[in-house]
Structure formats: C-alpha cells, structure tokens
Amino acid sequence: MNDRIRRFALAALAVTSATALLAGCAGGDASGSEAQDRSLRIVLATEPVSLDPCDTQDAANAQILRANVLESLTRIDAQTGEVVPLLAEEWEASDDNKTWTFTLKEGVTFHDGAVFDAEAAATAVNRVLNTDIGCGNGTTDQFPYPVTTTVIDENTLQLTSEQPDGIFPLRMTYIDLASPNTPTDAKTDDPIGTGPFELGEVVSGESITLTPFADYWGEAPEATEVTYLYRTEPTVRASMITTGEADLAVPISAADATDDGLTKEYSDNRVFFLRTQTNKPPFNDPRVREAVHYAIDRETIVGALMERSGLPYDQLVAPTVNAYLEGYEGPGFDPDKATELLDEAAADGVAVDTTIELVTRPDLFPGSDEVMQSIAQNLTDVGFSVQLRSLDTDAWLQLLRKPFPPEQVPNIIAISHDNISGDASFTFPKYVASTGTNSTLENSEIDALIAEAETKSGDERAELYQEASKLLYDEEFTLVPIALQTKLLRLAPGIDYEPNGLTGVELRISDITFTG
Amino acid sequence: MAIDSKGARAVLLPDATVSRTGARLTLHRLLHSPSALISSGWLTLLVLVAVILPPLVETAANRQDLSLRLLPPFSLDNGPMFILGADGLGRPELLQLIVGTRTSLLVAASAVAIAAVIGFAIGLISGYFGGWVDEVLMRIADIMHTIPSLLLALAVLYVLQPSIANLIIVLAITRIPVYLRVARAQALELRERVFVESSRAVGAGDWRILRTDLAPMVLPTIRTVAMLEVASVLLAAAGLSFLGIGLQRPDVDWGMMVADGRPYLATAWWVTVFPGLVIVLTALAANLLSNWLRAAEDPSQAARFIRRPRMRKAAR
Amino acid sequence: MWIFLRRRLLTSAISLVGVIIVVFFLARLTGSPANLYLPESATQEQIDEFNRLNGLDQPLLVQFWNFLVGAVRLDFGDSIWQRRPALDVALAAMPPTLTLAGIALGLSLVIAIIAGSIAAVYRFRFPDRAISVTTLTISSIPDFWFALVGILVFAVQLRLLPTSGYSTASAWILPTATVMLAPIGVLTQVVRGAMIDALGAGYVQNARARGFGTARLVARHALRNASLPIVSVAGDRAAGMVNGSIIVGSVFAFPGIGTVILGAVLNRDFAVIQASVFVVGVGVILVNIAVDAIYALIDPRVRVGAGKGK
C-alpha cells in the first residue's frame, strides 16, 4: 500500500517535471505567433466569495486571483514543495528566527501603475496583518504571532515576528500583495496586484474575465483572455468540456473521468480521515478506537467508490509533509480483530453498544455520502451501533470544533483536511495537540513534541513531528486515516495543463499551454 | 401541482352542490373507467407492497456489496432481487424501491393528511365566521405561502434532527394554505345557503352547523385536492433530497434514490430511472384518480361521464 | 376600485410585515454564521469579535428592533457573505427570475389553453384522455431529474443546446422547460374544467345554435368566460415559480432569486435571506393585485363584491 503511494508520488513528480520542460519549449513557440486569439474558459464549482486581495485564504477566491492577478513575496514551488522567491529576490533570518529581511525585486509595477517597493510591500502586508477589516488571510492559523513591518530602504523590507518562527518565509506565501492605492479601512472588490493578468469584467453570479497585464515583469502567459464560469453540479462541469463550452473543468467527479488522457489527477495533499472522541465513552478506551481502525476496509471502499479520486491511506498527512513517516503501515483491515477488541472492552465494562453518531456533510468530497454509508456498514458489521448523520456545513463545524459539551452523543466525525504547505504545523497543533480547537486528544508527551517542533526548523523540526506521528498512530488511535485524496480535472482537446499539489488553490494560467 | 386559490374554487366547486354519492355507484363507475381503474390498482398495489414487504426485505435491501456496485438490470445471475440492478453501493434496486415505497407513501400520505385536516378545519372556521377571525387566519395563510419552503425545511431540519417525522412536518406546514383557501372559499359561499339558514332557524349552534351542514359539503373537494397534492408532496420530498436536506440513510425514499443516483446518470441509467419512473407513475395515478373522482361526483359531468357504459348496457 | 386597491395594499402590507418577522426568527433558528466564516481553528475571542462586528452579540430582541428600524427604511443590512447591501443582492437576482417566470408562464398558458380547449371540446373522448394523461405525466416528472437528463440528451448527446449558462438565448431553453413542467398539468386541467363549464353556458349554446363553428366558438366566447379561473391559477403559479427556480439555479447555474435564497440559507447570510424574502413577498403581492385587477376588468361583478375582501 505504501509502495503504491510512493510510486504515485514519484510518477506525479516525473510527469510534472517532463511537462515543465515541454512547457518551456511551447513557451518559446508562442512568442513566434503573437496575434493569435487564445482565450480560455475555465469552469469552477463555486463563485468567489470575495475578490479582496486579503481573502485569498478561501480556495474559491484564491484559485482565480492567486498567481494570476495577485502575487506574494514568496511562493511554494509546486514541483519541489520548497519556498522560492516571487516578488522577493532573497531573504535572510536573524539568529533567533525572529527578524526576517526581504530584498525585493526591482522593476515591478502594480496594474494601476503604482511602483512596487518596500513602502508598498509594507502597506500591503499591514493591510492583511494589522487592520480590522476582517481579512480571511493572516489569521492565527497562518500567523500565530504578531508581526511588525520596518522599511529599511527602497528595496529592503524587514518583518519581525514577536516569537521565533522557523517557517516565516512559508507563511509569507499567504500574503498576496495589493497596490498601495487599495483602501486599508474597508474591503474592496477591485484587486490590484502585480500578476500577469488584470481583473476584467465581473458579472456577479455568472463570470469573471481576466485580461493580460501589458507591463508584467515576468514572461507573458500564452492565454490572451481568461473567463471563469461557475457550475455547482460536477456532471455539468464535465459535460461542458464534452460540448466545447469550456476548456478546463475543475474539479470533476470520478464518475465523469475519461480515459483519453484529458482527465488529469492531482493531489492537494488532502487526507480524508475520521476523528473519534477520545474524551468520551466508549472511545476513552483505546481498544475501542483501535477497533475502529481494524473495522474499516479501506482497500475495498476507496478502490471501488473513490476510484481515481483516492488511495487507501494510513497517515494523517500527505507524503510531502514533514510529519510523514517513511515506511509506516497502519493496522489494516481485520474485522475479527476489531470484534475481539470490542468484546474485550465490553468484558471490562466499557459500554461499546452505546449508539455512536457517524457525522459527515454532503459536500465533504464528491461521492462522500456513499463512502460514509460503506464505512457505517463496516462499523456495524464488527458490532458498533452506528447512526449516520449528514449535516450541513455549519452544523458539521459545530461538532468538529471545541467545546464538546457533555450531553453530546459520542461521535465519529469525517474530516477532509489539506495541508499544501508541507509543514505539519498546519495540521498537528489543530488536530492533535490538546489545545487544538479540533482535537479530542489529551497526550502531554505529544503536546511537548509539537511545542518543541514549533521552535525548530529543517530536519530537527521534521523529526520531532515524526515522533509525534508515531505516538499518535501506535498508541492513541484517535484519528483514523482512510484515504489520500486525489482530485480530477478535465481538459478540452488542444489545451495542456499539468496539475500539481497547488492547483486547488492556485491555478496558474501561465502553466496552461495551447497545443492546437 | 397545486390548486390553491380562488381559481380552484371555480373548478372544484361543482362538487359542493352534490350530496354524497353512494359508494356502490362510485364503484360501478370506477369499473367502467380504465384510467381510474388502473390508477387505483397501482395505488392499491403500492399500499399492499408498503404494508407487507418492507419488514421481510429491509435487511437485504440495505446490505451493501461493493462487488455488485452498479450491477446492470434484467439479469437473474445474482438472484431475483437484483432484477432491477444494483445501486452505487451494490444494494438491490428492487428491494430499495420496496422499502422506499413504505417511506414515500408514509411521508406523502401523512403530510397530505395533516395538511388537509388542519387546512380544512381552519378554512371552514375562517369562511363560516368571517370578520376578524377570517382576516387574521387569511393573513397567516398569506405569510405561510410567502416564506420559502426551503428556508422552513432547513430551519426545522436543523433545529430538530432530519427524520421521517420532521420531513412530514415540514411538508405538511408548507401545504396547509392550499386546503385552507379551498375550504374557506366554499364555506364562504355555503353559509349563505338556505339549508344553513334553516338549520339556524331550528336553533342549531355555529359549531353544529359547521359539523353537520358545512363539513360534509366541503369534504369531497378537500379529498379531491388531497389526491392532487399527493403528487406534489412526492415531488417536493424528492426536491428536498436533491438539495441534500431530505432524509438520512438508512431511511430511503424514492426521491432520495433519484438524488443519490445523480452521479451515475450517464453511466448507470437504471439507478435513477426506476425510482424516477415509480414517482412519475404514482404521481400520475394520484392525479388521474383525483380527476376522475371530481368528474364522477359532479352530476353535470357524471351524467356525460357514464353515458357510454349505459348505452352499451342498453345495447346488450 | 380605489377602495378595493387600498384595502388590498393594506392587508398585503400586514402580511408582508408578518413574513419578515417570521423569517427573521426562522433564519436565526438555523444557527450562527460565525463558524462558517472563521477558520476552523478560530478561538472564542475571534468568534466573539466576529459576532460583535456583525451585531450578533446583542440580545435577539435588540437585533430584531435594529432590523425593523432598518427595514422601514428599506435597509436590510449588508450581506455577510458578499459584503454589499443585502437588498442589492436580492434585487439584482430578480430580473432573470422574472424573465424566466414570465416566459415559462406565458408558454405554459398558451399550451394549456390550446390543449385544455381541445380536451374540453372532445371531453371524455380519446383526445381528452390523451391530453390529460400527457400533461399530467409531464407534471409528475421530478424537475431536477428532467434538468439533468435534459443536459445529457440535448447538450451532451445531441449537441443541440448548451449545458448551462444564461447569456445566450439557447441556454434559456432547458431552464424554461424545467420550470414549465409543474404548471402545465394544473393549468391544462383548469382550462379544461373552465371551458367545459363555459361551453355548457346558455349563451354559448345559443351561439352554437346560430351556427358558429366550434373553433370560433371556443376562441370568441367560451375562452373569455373561462378566463377567470385561468388567470387566478396562473397568478398563483407565478408566485410559486420563485421557489421553483431554486432547482434551475443549482443545475443550470441560472442566476435568480431561488439561487440567492438557497445560497443565503446555506451560508447563514441572514440579511440576504430577509431581503430576498421581502422582495419575493412584494413580488407575490404585486402578482396578486394584478390578478385581481385583471379579474375586475374581465368580470365587472367582482368590483361590487370588493368590499368583502379577497
């Protein structure tokens, strides 16, 4: 099973690098035939909620704006997962990992003509981090410690974190820089950035159009116009490719996948897992939690129902995240063992026949309802008394997050969690540490490891997280990983795009090439 | 399909002018109307299925078997229960339909019955007494009519838990105004009639008049509207399932089956077509029967209606 | 007529106030928006801050009072989701909904009048039965199923129509057909019933005796007489179409008030829920008044009875 995942990851890497080469060649060709009309129509699931540059934490907003209209100081290289410069040339940390000095790129202008310099960058960073306008970006999730900005000279910006922060450049990928003319006391629906495209026409409820920015500092993309459309039904999105109404549909469901090479898979480092309530009977007995692990037939469920949209999985984070344990294998499917564990627990007086709610929501991922019904049957088969509850997002969130009132029926909640950053600090403090808002676990050993990891960087940080992972998987059994999720998109003939781990939040138009 | 306004009165009113028709006569007419006969046959069959079969097949119906996922229909290789194929989790479509029949009929019948009884009662009172009582009740009906049923559904299913009972409550509440208006319109008209006056003259109280004079006159219309409403409630329940705020598994109804089969429309038609067909047939049967009832109980229409059979008899 | 209109407006206004009061509390029963708008790991302080910024920390009755004060000035507050005035959001969605409802209802009426008249003329014979069964079958099809199958057949298989959208004329065909499903059955039945009555009326019988052809008879005399119930049921369906557009919105991405209400409910966007229901309520009232006005034009007797209300 682990081999399958590694092979998958390697294959994905090989394909992406090959395309990167090809894309390079194609880019060269394009400059030869200039005047061609190369418009793109991209159909997405949902309309962006906000076009404000400081709301790109929301995937629906980010997929359109990030890397196309807006750019940040640093970005994540989708191929290597490393943090690389974008609007910064380079950066340097002080010894205590508190002060970070960024040297900025020269010759960059915003769409409105404003010059990008340290002053502009500071204004933009402050707009996200230090204003009261309710930004989606710059929350405590992304920036746990207060940050102050200091302009050193025209091209040097110093950012100081109140606490040591080993992954500060990674955090800066979350701050899209807006023109200094953007209002700082209110949200805007006119995002002005430095990206290769400017915002064109916006028809609420229908479409958004992007047009190329003539003075872009980097290489001009092939597309001459991009129109985004929104369709809620996955089948309709896929059909629009068939009928030629769109050039790229993202995401589509496994049932609509084609075998013609135009349906592409990509991982957004998303893991589908279940959370048991460690703090409530009967789950306060580790044997009951372990039984949940043994009860679920991941291979069959994921293979049959998720098809190309998932792989059976044993860990909480994707292989690209530093807490990933090389070679680890989970308990596997063993219903007899599960029943045995439950019987043992019952013999010791644990109320294993308590009715448990298996909580999910319909839009967890395409086809999740059927997967959850299958899991419910698996659990029932080994002797759990399970009641499936599919809630709307708001009600689901209330059960996901603390507080967990005592009168609450014990539940197992389905979670689909992505971590595109590669760092476990976007997963563990929230789901594993006892202080985490979404955590039911109380393990001081794990808490200490996470706390220590937060202050370290590099291999040291990774090792501490991996140790925490081991404890979590081998002793606690709180979280039950089911599948490493894969998303699917579909291309029209004549369009080429190799999706990557960031596609779900950063669909770079520059990566799309025309082959027709 | 909803008839819930003054127009309904114009169409449905003739009923009220007739006294109740004898059951034997109705049966006699039924036998001579093929569409009504087939419709009532289908509905009777469904009721029998819903009452008898589900307890016997429920376990088998909910048994998932992923190796039989999306098994095509019309093959007996996996036993007769897979004659209509299997759904996305390898559950036998036929047995799911049977269990779904019980839920769908229960939901539709209960929602219609509750709405009809409440709407009927309030409508009668509102129309008979008139004045401020009528004013207040009609404004409440207007309010209920304007609030999006979806909002109501979400509020109720959120505060309470999604279940068959709560689904029935939501559907019933949204349909009450239909009956209320029809009953009120008739009561308004009937209270001026001579027989009401004569009842009053011999000293009958308001409630007695309502019960013995008005209610029996309005009832046939309410029954006709209720038959029509069975179809619309079935479709409304299906719509809620489509929007993801209907029932919860393992409960299943026809609408949920159609909604759940949505991803397989292009690849496995049978998952949605069979339950869809059952919905269409049932709604159609209820509609046809309602039409027939209305015609059969209206003397002006019934006279024409039974002409043909009579002539045939005479010829014999 | 004016007394009648004034009375109608007054009673309608009372209903409207009732509606927005009920909706205000109904919406708040569905929970707080804070969870949806804050990151999963939001702290209690952040939640409190969010509630304070959006005025959700005040006692319910204070919120209600603020809402009423605003509503009187047609200020329903800002959409928490889209961050613009809620009334704008609701009003922007009305033109597509009204256009779609208008086209669908007009076409349904034309079809219903033709089919219903034929059925009435040939009552209890084959054409009548065929028409009844066909139109009732159409009305028994679940609309979302029809919409999805319609896309598969007409867009994907036959390539005749676009799958979805709103900007081209051909994109309107499937949504219009979907919205027409439900009204066709009931309208045809109403036309048929009314025409049967009208055709039996004395003066129509007279005209028949004078040698008028059936078609002319139907078009000239009976239809006018039958139009009262047709108009009122059509008006009722028009009001119902607002709710019906939810399915069309979610399948065809057809923008409209149904989509707005669905989105607002799922996103706990209270201001938009209230503004939308208000706009819909005003629409329903206007349709009702229009129906009554048409009534009065067709049948002068209605004016006499106007004092009785309704």
Side-chain angles (χ1 to χ4, degrees):
Chain A
M1 189 158 98
N2 248 317
D3 275 351
R4 260 178 82 193
I5 289 157
R6 207 170 310 117
R7 243 185 294 131
F8 170 77
L10 280 176
L13 204 67
V15 173
T16 31
S17 357
T19 330
L21 283 173
L22 283 174
C25 302
D29 286 348
S31 54
S33 50
E34 200 77 33
Q36 226 168 334
D37 168 44
R38 290 184 143 165
S39 57
L40 268 178
R41 290 153 306 164
I42 299 178
V43 55
L44 307 170
T46 47
E47 184 177 4
V49 178
S50 157
L51 293 177
D52 195 288
C54 81
D55 281 333
T56 48
Q57 159 68 10
D58 185 286
N61 308 340
Q63 212 167 22
I64 294 178
L65 296 179
R66 189 168 273 177
N68 297 324
V69 175
L70 303 166
E71 293 177 322
S72 41
L73 284 179
T74 59
R75 70 179 186 94
I76 299 172
D77 185 309
Q79 266 78 47
T80 62
E82 273 170 33
V83 180
V84 295
L86 187 59
L87 288 180
E89 285 285 359
E90 54 181 13
W91 55 84
E92 204 172 278
S94 62
D95 290 338
D96 60 358
N97 275 353
K98 274 188 179 174
T99 306
W100 295 78
T101 312
F102 290 84
T103 312
L104 308 183
K105 209 179 268 312
E106 289 179 59
V108 176
T109 53
F110 288 97
H111 301 152
D112 62 356
V115 177
F116 172 75
D117 55 17
E119 199 66 55
T123 311
V125 170
N126 281 327
R127 183 173 189 270
V128 180
L129 291 180
N130 300 326
T131 59
D132 211 11
I133 55 175
C135 289
N137 299 0
T139 59
T140 46
D141 254 5
Q142 300 161 348
F143 288 86
Y145 322 115
V147 173
T148 48
T149 55
T150 320
V151 176
I152 304 295
D153 62 40
E154 206 184 329
N155 290 311
T156 315
L157 177 68
Q158 204 171 66
L159 299 169
T160 311
S161 170
E162 208 173 86
Q163 300 289 321
D165 193 343
I167 55 164
F168 195 79
L170 173 62
R171 300 196 195 278
M172 287 313 290
T173 62
Y174 289 117
I175 297 197
D176 287 308
L177 302 175
S179 157
N181 299 324
T182 310
T184 52
D185 54 351
K187 291 281 187 83
T188 175
D189 52 11
D190 184 20
I192 302 166
T194 58
F197 289 93
E198 322 182 42
L199 190 70
E201 200 187 359
V202 179
V203 185
S204 178
E206 199 186 343
S207 66
I208 286 181
T209 306
L210 303 185
T211 53
F213 172 44
D215 295 330
Y216 182 55
W217 58 269
E219 201 179 328
E222 281 189 42
T224 53
E225 190 186 67
V226 193
T227 307
Y228 293 93
L229 304 163
Y230 333 107
R231 301 291 184 263
T232 327
E233 280 292 311
T235 314
V236 173
R237 288 198 292 278
S239 300
M240 289 176 75
I241 299 291
T242 318
T243 61
E245 288 170 74
D247 303 306
L248 198 162
V250 59
I252 64 163
S253 63
D256 294 315
T258 54
D259 294 326
D260 54 4
L262 293 171
T263 297
K264 309 247 181 182
E265 295 163 18
Y266 63 96
S267 156
D268 53 356
N269 291 355
R270 187 175 279 278
V271 176
F272 162 44
F273 63 91
L274 308 177
R275 186 194 72 194
T276 59
Q277 269 184 317
T278 314
N279 50 356
K280 259 189 206 309
F283 293 120
N284 53 3
D285 188 310
R287 286 172 298 190
V288 178
R289 285 156 12 213
E290 203 179 351
V292 176
H293 278 262
Y294 284 117
I296 297 168
D297 186 359
R298 293 172 185 71
E299 296 279 342
T300 308
I301 293 177
V302 176
L305 297 178
M306 296 179 73
E307 297 173 64
R308 287 171 71 181
S309 66
L311 288 165
Y313 202 55
D314 284 333
Q315 299 196 40
L316 183 60
V317 289
T320 48
V321 177
N322 52 6
Y324 178 75
L325 292 178
E326 198 67 44
Y328 170 80
E329 285 211 31
F333 175 53
D334 189 345
D336 296 335
K337 184 91 195 264
T339 313
E340 210 174 288
L341 283 164
L342 282 184
D343 289 346
E344 263 177 49
D348 293 345
V350 179
V352 294
D353 52 354
T354 313
T355 298
I356 294 156
E357 286 185 344
L358 184 60
V359 179
T360 180
R361 58 188 170 100
D363 55 348
L364 197 65
F365 55 84
S368 62
D369 273 345
E370 286 189 346
V371 172
M372 292 310 292
Q373 287 180 49
S374 240
I375 290 174
Q377 168 145 345
N378 276 174
L379 292 172
T380 310
D381 285 348
V382 301
F384 282 104
S385 163
V386 179
Q387 177 84 45
L388 190 60
R389 282 189 74 190
S390 182
L391 302 171
D392 91 308
T393 309
D394 179 58
W396 174 87
L397 276 170
Q398 285 188 19
L399 290 178
L400 175 72
R401 296 175 32 173
K402 279 176 182 165
F404 307 116
E407 70 275 9
Q408 212 173 60
V409 178
N411 66 46
I412 299 179
I413 191 166
I415 298 165
S416 171
H417 170 69
D418 68 320
N419 183 338
I420 50 164
S421 69
D423 192 85
S425 66
F426 295 90
T427 303
F428 276 60
K430 186 154 68 177
Y431 285 100
V432 184
S434 55
T435 50
T437 46
N438 302 347
S439 165
T440 61
L441 185 64
E442 301 255 354
N443 183 316
S444 52
E445 216 175 328
I446 292 181
D447 286 351
L449 285 169
I450 294 173
E452 200 187 340
E454 286 292 289
T455 61
K456 298 288 191 317
S457 60
D459 286 347
E460 240 181 314
R461 190 179 172 97
E463 272 163 31
L464 287 163
Y465 271 127
Q466 288 168 16
E467 222 168 301
S469 295
K470 256 183 227 137
L471 281 177
L472 174 71
Y473 302 150
D474 291 339
E475 287 177 22
E476 289 293 353
F477 307 103
T478 311
L479 305 171
V480 188
I482 308 286
L484 178 63
Q485 290 180 257
T486 321
K487 287 199 168 168
L488 298 168
L489 61 78
R490 198 155 140 194
L491 301 168
I495 303 289
D496 200 14
Y497 172 68
E498 215 44 65
N500 55 56
L502 296 178
T503 297
V505 290
E506 185 181 305
L507 183 56
R508 292 167 66 91
I509 302 300
S510 310
D511 291 347
I512 300 176
T513 54
F514 293 77
T515 58
Chain B
M1 298 220 354
I3 296 188
D4 43 358
S5 180
K6 311 148 255 193
R9 211 178 109 200
V11 185
L12 299 167
L13 204 59
D15 296 359
T17 59
V18 206
S19 60
R20 276 172 295 171
T21 327
R24 265 178 56 203
L25 189 56
T26 310
L27 186 68
H28 175 76
R29 286 173 187 161
L30 181 67
L31 290 175
H32 287 287
S33 166
S35 67
L37 196 62
I38 297 171
S39 298
S40 42
W42 170 252
L43 293 178
T44 314
L45 175 75
L46 286 182
V47 171
L48 289 178
V49 164
V51 171
I52 300 167
L53 293 181
L56 307 175
V57 300
E58 197 153 21
T59 321
N62 285 326
R63 188 75 224 163
Q64 302 167 14
D65 183 349
L66 291 180
S67 64
L68 298 176
R69 175 171 152 84
L70 301 178
L71 185 80
F74 310 130
S75 146
L76 290 170
D77 296 348
N78 293 287
M81 65 184 192
F82 284 98
I83 184 81
L84 296 183
D87 70 3
L89 288 172
R91 290 174 294 214
E93 195 72 11
L94 177 65
L95 301 192
Q96 286 271 303
L97 271 176
I98 289 173
V99 178
T101 302
R102 182 178 61 184
T103 324
S104 283
L105 290 193
L106 184 71
V107 168
S110 315
V112 166
I114 293 172
V117 167
I118 298 177
F120 176 51
I122 300 180
L124 269 189
I125 293 169
S126 183
Y128 178 76
F129 289 107
W132 66 268
V133 178
D134 182 39
E135 233 7 277
V136 170
L137 289 173
M138 285 317 286
R139 293 294 80 76
I140 293 175
D142 282 350
I143 292 171
M144 286 167 71
H145 195 59
T146 315
I147 291 172
S149 48
L150 182 79
L151 179 64
L152 186 76
L154 205 71
V156 171
L157 299 178
Y158 182 89
V159 176
L160 312 168
Q161 296 201 349
S163 69
I164 295 180
N166 293 334
L167 185 64
I168 291 172
I169 293 175
V170 168
L171 291 170
I173 292 178
T174 52
R175 311 309 299 187
I176 288 176
V178 179
Y179 305 94
L180 202 159
R181 283 163 192 235
V182 172
R184 173 186 175 270
Q186 289 210 358
L188 208 61
E189 183 124 355
L190 288 169
R191 67 171 181 179
E192 311 295 343
R193 294 287 182 85
V194 180
F195 66 94
V196 175
E197 290 300 327
S198 53
S199 288
R200 204 170 281 141
V202 298
D206 283 336
W207 295 106
R208 194 186 152 83
I209 291 174
L210 270 178
R211 211 173 52 236
T212 57
D213 290 333
L214 292 193
M217 299 289 276
V218 180
L219 197 60
T221 318
I222 292 293
R223 198 179 53 202
T224 315
V225 175
M227 288 300 293
L228 277 177
E229 282 285 301
V230 168
S232 50
V233 167
L234 271 178
L235 294 175
L240 286 181
S241 288
F242 173 79
L243 295 170
I245 49 176
L247 292 175
Q248 297 262 329
R249 292 280 183 175
D251 288 336
V252 58
D253 69 357
W254 299 330
M256 189 177 190
M257 292 178 72
V258 180
D260 282 3
R262 178 165 32 148
Y264 311 115
L265 267 175
T267 47
W269 56 269
W270 55 92
V271 182
T272 49
V273 165
F274 290 131
L277 211 56
V278 175
I279 295 181
V280 171
L281 287 178
T282 310
L284 182 62
N287 276 332
L288 287 175
L289 206 59
S290 158
N291 267 0
W292 177 84
L293 268 176
R294 191 167 72 229
E297 292 183 345
D298 174 358
S300 63
Q301 294 195 23
R304 298 182 199 111
F305 184 65
I306 53 176
R307 191 176 56 206
R308 211 158 49 132
R310 260 190 206 155
M311 281 165 71
R312 212 186 294 152
K313 234 187 240 168
R316 220 187 287 150
Chain C
M1 185 76 194
W2 289 115
I3 300 168
F4 164 70
L5 248 184
R6 210 176 62 196
R7 196 186 149 74
R8 272 312 299 258
L9 281 174
L10 187 72
T11 52
S12 305
I14 294 170
S15 301
L16 196 58
V17 171
V19 166
I20 57 177
I21 290 174
V22 172
V23 166
F24 177 90
F25 290 103
L26 210 52
R28 272 153 187 81
L29 276 182
T30 60
S32 151
N35 281 313
L36 283 173
Y37 294 86
L38 292 172
E40 277 177 16
S41 59
T43 59
Q44 192 56 45
E45 292 84 71
Q46 283 173 301
I47 294 175
D48 293 343
E49 173 71 6
F50 177 89
N51 285 339
R52 194 185 57 76
L53 277 174
N54 293 287
L56 296 167
D57 57 335
Q58 291 161 321
L60 198 57
L61 285 176
V62 175
Q63 288 185 44
F64 180 58
W65 175 250
N66 292 340
F67 162 70
L68 279 187
V69 168
V72 169
R73 289 177 282 122
L74 289 184
D75 174 10
F76 288 87
D78 282 359
S79 160
I80 211 169
W81 184 35
Q82 299 188 29
R83 292 169 203 285
R84 57 193 180 112
L87 193 62
D88 291 1
V89 176
L91 285 176
M94 282 312 274
T97 299
L98 291 177
T99 319
L100 184 73
I103 295 175
L105 198 65
L107 284 174
S108 306
L109 263 178
V110 169
I111 293 173
I113 287 174
I114 295 172
S117 301
I118 294 174
V121 170
Y122 295 95
R123 59 186 169 279
F124 306 124
R125 279 183 275 164
F126 176 74
D128 179 21
R129 277 159 215 248
I131 284 171
S132 288
V133 170
T134 311
T135 51
L136 289 177
T137 308
I138 290 172
S139 292
S140 307
I141 300 173
D143 47 6
F144 63 91
W145 187 81
F146 175 87
L148 289 168
V149 171
I151 290 176
L152 275 180
V153 173
F154 293 103
V156 179
Q157 295 297 325
L158 301 175
R159 304 282 169 90
L160 289 174
L161 301 170
T163 55
S164 50
Y166 157 69
S167 39
T168 57
S170 54
W172 283 64
I173 295 177
L174 282 175
T176 310
T178 307
V179 178
M180 281 170 64
L181 289 179
I184 276 194
V186 69
L187 280 176
T188 307
Q189 289 302 313
V190 168
V191 171
R192 176 184 172 277
M195 287 299 273
I196 287 176
D197 282 354
L199 285 172
Y203 72 95
V204 176
Q205 299 285 19
N206 277 343
R208 194 195 287 276
R210 290 208 312 272
F212 277 84
T214 308
R216 207 167 140 208
L217 203 67
V218 167
R220 238 332 137 80
H221 298 282
L223 194 57
R224 187 186 158 87
N225 214 32
S227 50
L228 276 183
I230 300 174
V231 165
S232 87
V233 172
D236 200 72
R237 299 307 313 191
M241 274 189 180
V242 170
N243 268 332
S245 71
I246 290 175
I247 297 288
V248 170
S250 104
V251 177
F252 299 105
F254 195 93
I257 196 74
T259 322
V260 168
I261 293 180
L262 180 66
V265 168
L266 292 178
N267 289 303
R268 304 290 187 270
D269 199 345
F270 298 153
V272 172
I273 296 176
Q274 286 146 10
S276 304
V277 172
F278 173 79
V279 170
V280 170
V282 170
V284 170
I285 287 168
L286 289 181
V287 167
N288 281 339
I289 291 179
V291 166
D292 283 335
I294 298 175
Y295 241 78
L297 284 178
I298 299 172
D299 185 355
R301 280 172 302 170
V302 174
R303 276 177 235 166
V304 182
K308 281 206 295 192
K310 230 336 49 170

